[in-house]
Amino acid sequence: MPPAADRKVRRRSRANPVELDRIIHERVRLAIVSALAVNETLTFNELKALLDTSDGNLSVHARRLEDAGYITCDKSFEGRVPRTEYRLTPEGRQALQRYLDHMEALIRRVREP
Amino acid sequence: MRPVRLEPSDSEPIALHQRAINDLRYIRETMERAGEFTAVPGWGGVGMGTIGVVAAYTAARQGDAERWLAVWLGAAVLAIAVATWSMARKARRAGIALLGGPGRKFALSFLPPVVAGAVLTIALYRAGMVDWLAAVWLLLYGAAVATAGTFSVRIVPVMGLCFMVLGIAALFGPASWNDWLLAAGFGGFQIGFGVAIARRHGG
């Protein structure tokens, strides 16, 4: 999905809180956001080890989250080795919280008589 | 870092609420694994244990308390060097930062009991109570490993608790047990748990 479509989805999910946030509904992106929720920062390699995925796949999903404003990405050098560090934004934390609320509401709806 | 499973094992269509339950479980599992410090050195632990066995054998043959203490302090310096080197190596190989989030939490939990142990070593030595040192070292090293281990894989806090059991035995048992208990802890446990960590958790 191109970034413009991403923004459309995000606008739609904000307009209707009952609708699922498709940006973090996808497993890799959900894992990135969840992992960053319990760590101030994580490097690209740390996320790659956690998700056991390819460089390309992780890059694509991280970029989607970055475009949505859910995470920030800082690139630097450690000696001569490039280092990419990700951090969750307040907007990303709120999105995860909304997603958790949404999942809990779905479960409650089934369990309540 | 232990990887999380990205795809659900079942490709059959599932009910919405079941998917929600799976998602919540997945988020919790990811958070738990992302918070684990996995650079605890297995083979480094075996190296530390070997130093412990040699130190216990050598210290038990010293005639006085000063020499006994000097042997153990020398062994501690060597063991710290081995631990630091092997942790840095394991972290580098796994592509993780040694003092990133989980590593920093591990270190900050590990250090206070160890510092308390160092201060008590000085105080007890100056008070001529060298017989109590084995209990203090085993208990506080065990406490350090058990508390820091809450940020690591499950075997690490178990190892800490085993050290604490030996510390309690040293505290209430006769002083003649001390060398054996130190050999069992800093030698035997370090080697045994080191092999288990190395086999199950990547070196």
Side-chain angles (χ1 to χ4, degrees):
Chain A
M1 196 189 293
D6 248 6
R7 282 195 292 275
K8 199 173 163 190
V9 168
R10 194 148 49 94
R11 272 201 304 274
R12 214 166 50 214
S13 68
R14 275 181 193 153
N16 179 5
V18 178
E19 197 172 330
L20 201 64
D21 184 345
R22 298 249 164 233
I23 295 169
I24 60 171
H25 183 57
E26 198 283 331
R27 284 260 153 164
V28 176
R29 296 196 288 269
L30 184 58
I32 295 172
V33 171
S34 303
L36 287 171
V38 290
N39 286 289
E40 202 178 319
T41 61
L42 282 173
T43 63
F44 184 88
N45 284 335
E46 285 169 336
L47 280 171
K48 196 180 145 197
L50 178 70
L51 305 181
D52 197 19
T53 188
S54 67
D55 287 16
N57 194 33
L58 179 57
S59 294
V60 167
H61 288 296
R63 174 59 69 88
R64 287 280 293 275
L65 289 167
E66 221 186 315
D67 289 342
Y70 288 177
I71 64 172
T72 58
C73 169
D74 290 314
K75 290 180 193 263
S76 60
F77 276 88
E78 211 172 57
R80 289 182 177 182
V81 184
R83 179 184 167 90
T84 306
E85 208 169 53
Y86 294 103
R87 192 183 294 266
L88 194 64
T89 63
E91 200 177 1
R93 197 170 288 278
Q94 281 168 16
L96 179 63
Q97 188 57 56
R98 276 198 305 273
Y99 189 80
L100 287 168
D101 291 345
H102 196 136
M103 293 299 115
E104 282 170 2
L106 280 174
I107 297 165
R108 257 200 318 272
R109 200 176 303 165
V110 173
R111 287 187 177 164
E112 279 167 8
Chain B
M1 213 176 263
R2 286 187 300 149
V4 289
R5 190 162 46 81
L6 289 172
E7 294 302 325
S9 58
D10 192 358
S11 57
E12 295 286 309
I14 53 172
L16 205 53
H17 76 282
Q18 189 55 49
R19 167 76 198 228
I21 291 169
N22 291 348
D23 272 2
L24 288 182
R25 192 177 297 136
Y26 178 70
I27 290 167
R28 192 183 64 194
E29 188 185 312
T30 305
M31 286 179 167
E32 278 172 6
R33 294 201 177 172
E36 280 178 356
F37 176 64
T38 50
V40 174
W43 295 123
V46 174
M48 290 162 73
T50 309
I51 293 168
V53 170
V54 173
Y57 179 83
T58 312
R61 271 151 189 75
Q62 303 304 313
D64 56 69
E66 281 76 19
R67 284 183 179 182
W68 179 89
L69 183 59
V71 169
W72 277 110
L73 291 182
V77 171
L78 267 179
I80 290 168
V82 168
T84 309
W85 175 78
S86 51
M87 271 197 287
R89 189 165 162 265
K90 189 169 177 179
R92 198 169 49 242
R93 226 176 39 221
I96 60 172
L98 189 58
L99 289 178
R104 192 165 52 239
K105 285 180 199 160
F106 187 92
L108 290 175
S109 309
F110 188 84
L111 280 178
V114 169
V115 171
V119 172
L120 279 170
T121 300
I122 297 168
L124 291 173
Y125 172 71
R126 289 174 68 175
M129 298 166 72
V130 176
D131 281 350
W132 293 91
L133 287 177
V136 167
W137 291 344
L138 289 163
L139 262 175
L140 290 178
Y141 181 72
V145 173
T147 50
T150 55
F151 300 107
S152 189
V153 288
R154 198 168 297 163
I155 191 171
V156 178
V158 172
M159 171 175 150
L161 293 176
C162 290
F163 267 90
M164 291 182 76
V165 169
L166 288 186
I168 292 166
L171 202 58
F172 294 105
S176 59
W177 290 5
N178 285 350
D179 285 318
W180 290 105
L181 292 170
L182 286 169
F186 293 113
F189 281 178
Q190 227 27 105
I191 291 172
F193 281 100
V195 169
I197 290 168
R199 282 191 176 165
R200 289 187 212 162
H201 304 286

